Amino acid sequence: MGGASAEYLGLFEAETDLYNRIVLGTLLPGYVWEPLPRVLQSWLRNYIGGTLLYLVSGFLWCFYIYYLKRNAYIPKDSIPSKQAMSLQIMVAMKAMPWYCGLPTVTEVMVERGWTKCFSSIHEVGWPSYLFYLTIYMVLVEFGIYWMHRELHDIKPLYKYLHATHHIYNKQNTLSPFAGLAFHPLDGILQAVPHVICLFILPTHFMTHLLLLFCEAVWTANIHDCIHGKIWPVMGAGYHTIHHTTYKHNYGHYTIWMDWMFGTLRDPEADLKKA
Protein backbone atom coordinates (compact mmCIF):
# COMPACT_ATOMS: atom_id res chain seq x y z
CA MET A 1 0.00 0.00 0.00
CA GLY A 2 1.00 3.70 -0.06
CA GLY A 3 4.31 4.25 1.72
CA ALA A 4 5.16 0.56 1.61
CA SER A 5 8.75 -0.62 1.87
CA ALA A 6 10.80 -1.65 -1.13
CA GLU A 7 10.67 -5.21 0.16
CA TYR A 8 6.87 -5.17 0.22
CA LEU A 9 6.62 -3.57 -3.24
CA GLY A 10 8.86 -6.36 -4.46
CA LEU A 11 5.95 -8.72 -3.83
CA PHE A 12 3.97 -7.00 -6.58
CA GLU A 13 6.92 -7.18 -8.96
CA ALA A 14 7.31 -10.89 -8.22
CA GLU A 15 3.57 -11.37 -8.86
CA THR A 16 3.62 -9.66 -12.26
CA ASP A 17 6.79 -11.56 -13.17
CA LEU A 18 4.94 -14.77 -12.35
CA TYR A 19 2.02 -13.83 -14.60
CA ASN A 20 4.47 -12.97 -17.39
CA ARG A 21 6.18 -16.35 -17.09
CA ILE A 22 2.87 -18.22 -17.08
CA VAL A 23 1.50 -16.53 -20.22
CA LEU A 24 4.59 -15.60 -22.22
CA GLY A 25 6.64 -18.61 -21.14
CA THR A 26 3.84 -20.91 -22.26
CA LEU A 27 3.14 -19.29 -25.61
CA LEU A 28 6.43 -17.78 -26.74
CA PRO A 29 10.08 -18.86 -26.81
CA GLY A 30 12.19 -17.16 -24.15
CA TYR A 31 14.42 -15.30 -26.62
CA VAL A 32 11.36 -13.36 -27.85
CA TRP A 33 10.14 -11.92 -24.55
CA GLU A 34 12.83 -12.29 -21.87
CA PRO A 35 15.09 -9.50 -23.24
CA LEU A 36 12.17 -7.03 -23.20
CA PRO A 37 11.87 -4.45 -20.40
CA ARG A 38 9.44 -5.54 -17.67
CA VAL A 39 6.82 -3.00 -18.70
CA LEU A 40 6.81 -4.34 -22.28
CA GLN A 41 6.63 -7.91 -20.97
CA SER A 42 3.53 -6.95 -18.98
CA TRP A 43 1.97 -5.18 -21.96
CA LEU A 44 2.65 -8.19 -24.21
CA ARG A 45 1.17 -10.56 -21.62
CA ASN A 46 -1.93 -8.37 -21.29
CA TYR A 47 -2.25 -8.12 -25.07
CA ILE A 48 -1.96 -11.86 -25.68
CA GLY A 49 -4.20 -12.72 -22.72
CA GLY A 50 -6.82 -10.12 -23.64
CA THR A 51 -6.88 -11.14 -27.30
CA LEU A 52 -7.22 -14.84 -26.51
CA LEU A 53 -9.95 -14.19 -23.94
CA TYR A 54 -11.90 -11.99 -26.35
CA LEU A 55 -11.63 -14.32 -29.34
CA VAL A 56 -12.07 -17.66 -27.54
CA SER A 57 -15.01 -16.52 -25.39
CA GLY A 58 -16.62 -14.77 -28.38
CA PHE A 59 -16.29 -17.73 -30.74
CA LEU A 60 -17.56 -20.21 -28.13
CA TRP A 61 -20.47 -17.94 -27.24
CA CYS A 62 -21.47 -17.42 -30.87
CA PHE A 63 -21.05 -21.10 -31.75
CA TYR A 64 -23.37 -22.07 -28.91
CA ILE A 65 -26.18 -19.53 -29.36
CA TYR A 66 -26.12 -19.17 -33.17
CA TYR A 67 -25.31 -22.74 -34.25
CA LEU A 68 -25.81 -25.36 -31.52
CA LYS A 69 -28.93 -23.59 -30.23
CA ARG A 70 -29.94 -21.99 -33.51
CA ASN A 71 -33.29 -20.13 -33.15
CA ALA A 72 -33.70 -21.35 -29.55
CA TYR A 73 -32.59 -18.01 -28.09
CA ILE A 74 -32.48 -15.69 -31.10
CA PRO A 75 -35.03 -15.49 -33.95
CA LYS A 76 -33.50 -16.45 -37.29
CA ASP A 77 -33.81 -12.92 -38.72
CA SER A 78 -32.02 -11.51 -35.63
CA ILE A 79 -28.83 -13.58 -35.96
CA PRO A 80 -26.02 -11.22 -36.99
CA SER A 81 -24.24 -11.92 -40.25
CA LYS A 82 -20.69 -13.22 -40.40
CA GLN A 83 -19.72 -9.94 -42.04
CA ALA A 84 -21.12 -7.92 -39.11
CA MET A 85 -19.24 -10.06 -36.59
CA SER A 86 -16.03 -9.86 -38.64
CA LEU A 87 -16.23 -6.06 -38.64
CA GLN A 88 -16.74 -6.05 -34.87
CA ILE A 89 -13.67 -8.25 -34.44
CA MET A 90 -11.64 -5.87 -36.63
CA VAL A 91 -12.67 -2.83 -34.56
CA ALA A 92 -11.87 -4.64 -31.29
CA MET A 93 -8.51 -5.88 -32.56
CA LYS A 94 -7.47 -2.37 -33.63
CA ALA A 95 -8.30 -1.12 -30.13
CA MET A 96 -6.81 -4.05 -28.19
CA PRO A 97 -3.19 -2.78 -28.12
CA TRP A 98 -4.44 0.46 -26.57
CA TYR A 99 -6.79 -1.27 -24.14
CA CYS A 100 -3.85 -3.25 -22.79
CA GLY A 101 -1.97 -0.07 -21.95
CA LEU A 102 -4.32 0.60 -19.02
CA PRO A 103 -3.59 -2.54 -16.94
CA THR A 104 0.10 -2.20 -17.86
CA VAL A 105 0.32 1.37 -16.54
CA THR A 106 -1.72 0.30 -13.51
CA GLU A 107 0.78 -2.44 -12.70
CA VAL A 108 3.62 0.11 -12.80
CA MET A 109 1.74 2.39 -10.37
CA VAL A 110 1.07 -0.54 -8.03
CA GLU A 111 4.70 -1.69 -8.11
CA ARG A 112 5.87 1.85 -7.23
CA GLY A 113 3.55 2.08 -4.24
CA TRP A 114 1.31 4.81 -5.58
CA THR A 115 -1.92 2.91 -4.87
CA LYS A 116 -3.57 1.30 -1.86
CA CYS A 117 -3.22 -2.22 -3.26
CA PHE A 118 -2.33 -5.12 -0.99
CA SER A 119 -0.65 -8.30 -2.14
CA SER A 120 -2.36 -11.04 -0.11
CA ILE A 121 -5.88 -11.45 1.28
CA HIS A 122 -4.34 -12.76 4.51
CA GLU A 123 -2.91 -9.29 5.19
CA VAL A 124 -6.39 -7.89 5.82
CA GLY A 125 -8.45 -11.05 6.45
CA TRP A 126 -11.46 -12.34 4.55
CA PRO A 127 -14.11 -10.11 6.24
CA SER A 128 -12.17 -6.93 5.37
CA TYR A 129 -11.37 -8.25 1.88
CA LEU A 130 -15.06 -8.87 1.15
CA PHE A 131 -16.01 -5.47 2.60
CA TYR A 132 -13.42 -3.67 0.44
CA LEU A 133 -14.47 -5.70 -2.61
CA THR A 134 -18.11 -4.72 -2.11
CA ILE A 135 -17.21 -1.03 -1.89
CA TYR A 136 -14.94 -1.44 -4.92
CA MET A 137 -17.77 -2.91 -6.99
CA VAL A 138 -20.20 -0.16 -5.92
CA LEU A 139 -17.69 2.54 -6.87
CA VAL A 140 -16.97 0.84 -10.21
CA GLU A 141 -20.68 0.58 -10.93
CA PHE A 142 -21.19 4.26 -10.08
CA GLY A 143 -18.15 5.36 -12.09
CA ILE A 144 -18.94 3.34 -15.21
CA TYR A 145 -22.58 4.46 -15.13
CA TRP A 146 -21.63 8.14 -15.18
CA MET A 147 -18.74 7.71 -17.59
CA HIS A 148 -21.06 5.86 -19.98
CA ARG A 149 -23.84 8.40 -19.55
CA GLU A 150 -21.52 11.36 -20.20
CA LEU A 151 -20.21 9.64 -23.33
CA HIS A 152 -23.80 9.98 -24.55
CA ASP A 153 -24.71 13.37 -23.09
CA ILE A 154 -21.55 15.27 -24.10
CA LYS A 155 -22.07 15.48 -27.84
CA PRO A 156 -18.42 15.68 -28.98
CA LEU A 157 -17.59 12.61 -26.86
CA TYR A 158 -20.45 10.73 -28.45
CA LYS A 159 -19.68 11.88 -31.99
CA TYR A 160 -15.94 11.19 -31.94
CA LEU A 161 -15.74 8.27 -29.48
CA HIS A 162 -18.89 6.42 -28.46
CA ALA A 163 -20.67 6.49 -31.85
CA THR A 164 -18.17 3.88 -33.04
CA HIS A 165 -19.84 1.38 -30.73
CA HIS A 166 -23.41 2.49 -31.36
CA ILE A 167 -23.45 1.66 -35.05
CA TYR A 168 -24.58 -1.72 -33.64
CA ASN A 169 -28.15 -0.67 -32.88
CA LYS A 170 -30.34 -3.65 -33.84
CA GLN A 171 -30.53 -7.27 -32.75
CA ASN A 172 -29.20 -8.47 -36.08
CA THR A 173 -26.10 -6.28 -35.71
CA LEU A 174 -25.34 -7.00 -32.05
CA SER A 175 -23.24 -10.02 -31.10
CA PRO A 176 -20.83 -11.05 -28.33
CA PHE A 177 -18.01 -9.67 -30.48
CA ALA A 178 -19.51 -6.17 -30.19
CA GLY A 179 -18.58 -6.19 -26.51
CA LEU A 180 -15.11 -4.72 -27.11
CA ALA A 181 -15.78 -2.99 -30.44
CA PHE A 182 -15.11 0.55 -29.22
CA HIS A 183 -12.95 3.49 -30.12
CA PRO A 184 -9.80 2.77 -28.04
CA LEU A 185 -10.17 5.87 -25.86
CA ASP A 186 -13.85 5.08 -25.25
CA GLY A 187 -13.01 1.59 -23.99
CA ILE A 188 -10.23 2.93 -21.77
CA LEU A 189 -12.44 5.66 -20.28
CA GLN A 190 -15.10 3.12 -19.33
CA ALA A 191 -12.46 0.99 -17.57
CA VAL A 192 -10.85 3.92 -15.72
CA PRO A 193 -13.18 3.60 -12.67
CA HIS A 194 -11.47 0.27 -11.93
CA VAL A 195 -8.14 2.11 -11.68
CA ILE A 196 -9.44 5.10 -9.71
CA CYS A 197 -10.62 2.70 -6.99
CA LEU A 198 -7.02 1.62 -6.38
CA PHE A 199 -6.24 5.11 -5.07
CA ILE A 200 -9.36 5.32 -2.90
CA LEU A 201 -9.54 2.08 -0.91
CA PRO A 202 -7.41 -0.99 -0.19
CA THR A 203 -7.73 -3.40 -3.11
CA HIS A 204 -6.37 -6.88 -3.64
CA PHE A 205 -4.05 -6.66 -6.65
CA MET A 206 -4.90 -10.04 -8.20
CA THR A 207 -8.63 -9.44 -7.77
CA HIS A 208 -8.32 -6.11 -9.56
CA LEU A 209 -6.53 -7.72 -12.53
CA LEU A 210 -9.05 -10.56 -12.71
CA LEU A 211 -11.96 -8.11 -12.71
CA LEU A 212 -10.38 -6.12 -15.54
CA PHE A 213 -10.10 -9.26 -17.67
CA CYS A 214 -13.60 -10.41 -16.67
CA GLU A 215 -14.84 -7.28 -18.44
CA ALA A 216 -14.17 -9.04 -21.76
CA VAL A 217 -16.48 -11.91 -20.82
CA TRP A 218 -19.12 -9.67 -19.27
CA THR A 219 -19.32 -7.33 -22.25
CA ALA A 220 -19.69 -10.35 -24.54
CA ASN A 221 -22.63 -11.48 -22.41
CA ILE A 222 -24.52 -8.18 -22.46
CA HIS A 223 -24.30 -7.90 -26.24
CA ASP A 224 -25.80 -11.31 -27.10
CA CYS A 225 -29.42 -9.97 -26.99
CA ILE A 226 -30.56 -12.86 -24.72
CA HIS A 227 -32.56 -11.54 -21.77
CA GLY A 228 -31.35 -13.53 -18.75
CA LYS A 229 -34.04 -12.26 -16.34
CA ILE A 230 -31.78 -12.40 -13.28
CA TRP A 231 -32.64 -9.45 -11.03
CA PRO A 232 -30.84 -7.06 -10.43
CA VAL A 233 -28.31 -7.97 -13.12
CA MET A 234 -27.97 -5.56 -16.05
CA GLY A 235 -28.16 -8.35 -18.60
CA ALA A 236 -28.42 -8.32 -22.37
CA GLY A 237 -32.15 -7.60 -22.35
CA TYR A 238 -31.50 -4.25 -20.69
CA HIS A 239 -28.40 -3.50 -22.74
CA THR A 240 -30.16 -4.23 -26.04
CA ILE A 241 -32.65 -1.49 -25.11
CA HIS A 242 -29.69 0.81 -24.52
CA HIS A 243 -28.47 0.16 -28.07
CA THR A 244 -31.90 0.87 -29.57
CA THR A 245 -32.98 3.93 -27.51
CA TYR A 246 -29.56 5.46 -26.67
CA LYS A 247 -30.91 7.01 -23.44
CA HIS A 248 -31.66 4.13 -21.06
CA ASN A 249 -29.79 1.45 -19.12
CA TYR A 250 -26.29 2.92 -18.86
CA GLY A 251 -25.38 0.61 -15.99
CA HIS A 252 -22.75 -2.08 -16.14
CA TYR A 253 -23.34 -5.04 -13.83
CA THR A 254 -26.63 -4.07 -12.17
CA ILE A 255 -29.72 -1.95 -12.75
CA TRP A 256 -29.37 -0.03 -9.47
CA MET A 257 -27.69 3.12 -10.82
CA ASP A 258 -30.24 3.46 -13.61
CA TRP A 259 -33.01 2.98 -11.06
CA MET A 260 -31.49 5.62 -8.75
CA PHE A 261 -30.93 8.19 -11.50
CA GLY A 262 -34.12 7.64 -13.49
CA THR A 263 -32.77 6.03 -16.67
CA LEU A 264 -33.98 2.45 -16.18
CA ARG A 265 -36.16 0.81 -18.82
CA ASP A 266 -37.32 -2.74 -18.14
CA PRO A 267 -37.43 -5.18 -21.08
CA GLU A 268 -40.24 -7.09 -19.35
CA ALA A 269 -42.37 -3.95 -19.32
CA ASP A 270 -41.65 -3.44 -23.02
CA LEU A 271 -42.78 -6.99 -23.77
CA LYS A 272 -46.04 -6.46 -21.88
CA LYS A 273 -46.73 -3.24 -23.83
CA ALA A 274 -46.00 -5.06 -27.08
Side-chain angles (χ1 to χ4, degrees), residues 1 4 18 25 43 46 81 90 133 140 255 257 262:
M1 295 185 233
L18 174 62
W43 176 87
N46 290 325
S81 67
M90 289 176 59
L133 179 59
V140 165
I255 66 172
M257 295 300 160

Side-chain angles (χ1 to χ4, degrees), residues 9-81:
L9 295 178
L11 296 175
F12 296 116
E13 293 184 2
E15 189 171 343
T16 53
D17 285 342
L18 174 62
Y19 300 151
N20 291 342
R21 287 195 302 273
I22 291 173
V23 176
L24 301 180
T26 302
L27 300 174
L28 299 174
Y31 66 83
V32 172
W33 64 274
E34 288 176 356
L36 297 175
R38 290 187 70 255
V39 66
L40 289 182
Q41 290 182 15
S42 294
W43 176 87
L44 184 59
R45 177 247 301 165
N46 290 325
Y47 177 71
I48 292 174
T51 299
L52 287 176
L53 185 62
Y54 170 72
L55 293 176
V56 171
S57 63
F59 276 114
L60 290 176
W61 213 293
C62 291
F63 179 73
Y64 181 76
I65 62 177
Y66 299 146
Y67 296 97
L68 287 184
K69 294 290 185 179
R70 179 182 291 270
N71 303 335
Y73 298 121
I74 305 291
K76 185 176 181 180
D77 58 355
S78 295
I79 295 177
S81 67

Side-chain angles (χ1 to χ4, degrees), residues 27 30 118 155 160 212 220:
L27 300 174
F118 56 90
K155 299 307 178 186
Y160 295 109
L212 272 183

Side-chain angles (χ1 to χ4, degrees), residues 16-273:
T16 53
D17 285 342
L18 174 62
Y19 300 151
N20 291 342
R21 287 195 302 273
I22 291 173
V23 176
L24 301 180
T26 302
L27 300 174
L28 299 174
Y31 66 83
V32 172
W33 64 274
E34 288 176 356
L36 297 175
R38 290 187 70 255
V39 66
L40 289 182
Q41 290 182 15
S42 294
W43 176 87
L44 184 59
R45 177 247 301 165
N46 290 325
Y47 177 71
I48 292 174
T51 299
L52 287 176
L53 185 62
Y54 170 72
L55 293 176
V56 171
S57 63
F59 276 114
L60 290 176
W61 213 293
C62 291
F63 179 73
Y64 181 76
I65 62 177
Y66 299 146
Y67 296 97
L68 287 184
K69 294 290 185 179
R70 179 182 291 270
N71 303 335
Y73 298 121
I74 305 291
K76 185 176 181 180
D77 58 355
S78 295
I79 295 177
S81 67
K82 292 179 181 178
Q83 181 183 17
M85 290 188 283
S86 297
L87 290 173
Q88 291 162 12
I89 293 171
M90 289 176 59
V91 172
M93 287 297 95
K94 288 179 181 178
M96 189 66 73
W98 301 98
Y99 292 161
C100 296
L102 184 64
T104 303
V105 171
T106 301
E107 289 175 25
V108 172
M109 294 190 293
V110 171
E111 291 172 0
R112 294 185 179 181
W114 298 350
T115 69
K116 295 181 179 291
C117 278
F118 56 90
S119 177
S120 171
I121 295 174
H122 297 298
E123 294 173 36
V124 298
W126 279 97
S128 294
Y129 166 76
L130 294 173
F131 172 75
Y132 292 139
L133 179 59
T134 300
I135 301 301
Y136 176 99
M137 296 305 296
V138 171
L139 291 175
V140 165
E141 189 76 12
F142 178 84
I144 292 178
Y145 172 87
W146 280 106
M147 186 67 75
H148 190 183
R149 184 166 174 176
E150 293 309 307
L151 282 162
H152 279 265
D153 292 347
I154 300 175
K155 299 307 178 186
L157 291 182
Y158 182 82
K159 179 179 179 180
Y160 295 109
L161 297 183
H162 201 52
T164 299
H165 183 64
H166 268 275
I167 62 173
Y168 316 115
N169 57 7
K170 300 181 181 67
Q171 278 200 352
N172 62 0
T173 61
L174 284 165
S175 83
F177 289 117
L180 291 182
F182 289 91
H183 184 285
L185 184 55
D186 183 358
I188 290 171
L189 286 173
Q190 293 198 58
V192 159
H194 280 279
V195 178
I196 293 174
C197 286
L198 304 186
F199 296 89
I200 297 175
L201 78 161
T203 306
H204 183 226
F205 181 46
M206 182 189 294
T207 300
H208 164 75
L209 292 179
L210 288 173
L211 287 171
L212 272 183
F213 278 88
C214 283
E215 293 285 338
V217 178
W218 179 249
T219 55
N221 172 68
I222 62 175
H223 288 88
D224 66 9
C225 299
I226 302 172
H227 183 34
K229 303 180 183 180
I230 303 175
W231 185 91
V233 174
M234 177 67 74
Y238 289 95
H239 198 72
T240 302
I241 288 175
H242 172 75
H243 273 265
T244 55
T245 70
Y246 298 80
K247 57 185 178 180
H248 299 94
N249 304 347
Y250 299 102
H252 192 53
Y253 291 116
T254 72
I255 66 172
W256 291 334
M257 295 300 160
D258 285 282
W259 174 75
M260 288 173 59
F261 297 111
T263 53
L264 182 65
R265 181 165 167 178
D266 189 343
E268 292 294 303
D270 282 6
L271 287 173
K272 290 177 181 177
K273 288 180 183 178

